[in-house]
Amino acid sequence: ARRTFRYPVLFPHFATGHLYNYYTKSKTFQDLFSYVDGYGYQSLLRGEDTYLVDSSILTFINHGCNGTYNVDIGTSSSVTKDYYITEQNASIQDREDQKGETYDPVTDRRDGGGWAVIDIALRDIAAGEEILCNYVFFTEDSAWLKELNTLKKICNGEEIGLIVKSEMEHMRQNEEKSINTSASNAKGEEL
């Protein structure tokens, strides 16, 4: 029998609220929130910030800057008949045009279906080619314009992304530990 290949992890609004509250108090919560925010899909499906972290290979698909993405969701909200919507040309009207339905507690009972999307290839993808998608509409209304501007800066080489920042911080901390351990060992050898 064929096994299900994805078991997404849902962070409902109350769990997300706890992550926000403890974010500044604990490095563990900072790391967890960085993972959830960096790899998860944000939604207002339940009326407040909710995240779903997909556990399949799709989690590791990066953003294709300047329209270089080669996959999109089946409904293809970022492709119109005239042009590709990118971080460089997206407008508030594009955001309004692609919005889903508003929060509804009745349909919320079946919220799992809201996360079920199918990614499709927009063109032939060569063996070994990185799979890229479009992050432009991955964030809900409250933070959309801020996130869009951040994507522009990342794609223009003016900033680095959240995951790269987190990885660089982790490497810096490991280097500091290594230096401190080496210094301690050297002092011990001198005695």
Side-chain angles (χ1 to χ4, degrees):
R2 187 174 175 195
R3 290 185 173 199
T4 303
F5 69 93
R6 9 180 310 169
Y7 296 97
V9 179
L10 177 68
F11 289 84
H13 63 89
F14 52 85
T16 303
H18 287 301
L19 285 177
Y20 290 150
N21 290 336
Y22 292 109
Y23 181 78
T24 57
K25 299 175 185 174
S26 163
K27 177 73 173 117
T28 301
F29 282 102
Q30 290 173 4
D31 291 343
L32 178 59
F33 184 74
S34 291
Y35 178 80
V36 170
D37 192 44
Y39 289 111
Y41 298 91
Q42 181 188 25
S43 175
L44 294 175
L45 193 61
R46 295 180 165 231
E48 297 182 47
D49 281 345
T50 299
Y51 285 86
L52 180 95
V53 180
D54 186 341
S55 61
S56 77
I57 192 70
L58 298 177
T59 296
F60 303 104
I61 296 176
N62 290 313
H63 175 68
C65 292
N66 303 307
T68 59
Y69 51 93
N70 49 25
V71 298
D72 204 353
I73 61 172
T75 58
S76 203
S77 61
S78 50
V79 180
T80 70
K81 64 180 183 178
D82 298 323
Y83 69 101
Y84 285 87
I85 299 170
T86 73
E87 72 288 336
Q88 303 297 330
N89 67 7
S91 68
I92 299 286
Q93 186 59 51
D94 292 324
R95 177 68 181 157
E96 293 298 316
D97 290 347
Q98 73 82 41
K99 270 187 184 177
E101 295 181 21
T102 56
Y103 170 66
D104 179 354
V106 175
T107 58
D108 187 47
R109 291 181 61 228
R110 310 227 188 297
D111 72 340
W115 298 103
V117 295
I118 298 171
D119 291 310
I120 58 169
L122 299 174
R123 60 174 175 75
D124 289 342
I125 300 171
E129 180 180 355
E130 183 175 9
I131 298 175
L132 302 169
C133 64
N134 187 6
Y135 286 6
V136 169
F137 298 119
F138 277 22
T139 304
E140 293 295 334
D141 288 344
S142 60
W144 184 75
L145 195 54
K146 179 182 177 210
E147 292 294 324
L148 177 66
N149 287 326
T150 299
L151 265 181
K152 282 181 189 178
K153 289 177 182 175
I154 291 168
C155 290
N156 293 336
E158 300 166 19
E159 253 184 51
I160 57 174
L162 177 67
I163 299 299
V164 172
K165 283 179 191 172
S166 180
E167 289 172 346
M168 289 174 68
E169 175 63 18
H170 184 71
M171 287 180 3
R172 185 190 64 74
Q173 290 172 353
N174 284 343
E175 286 174 8
E176 284 179 6
K177 284 180 189 175
S178 177
I179 290 169
N180 290 339
T181 300
S182 296
S184 294
N185 290 341
K187 282 187 176 183
E189 289 174 8
E190 289 176 6
L191 297 173

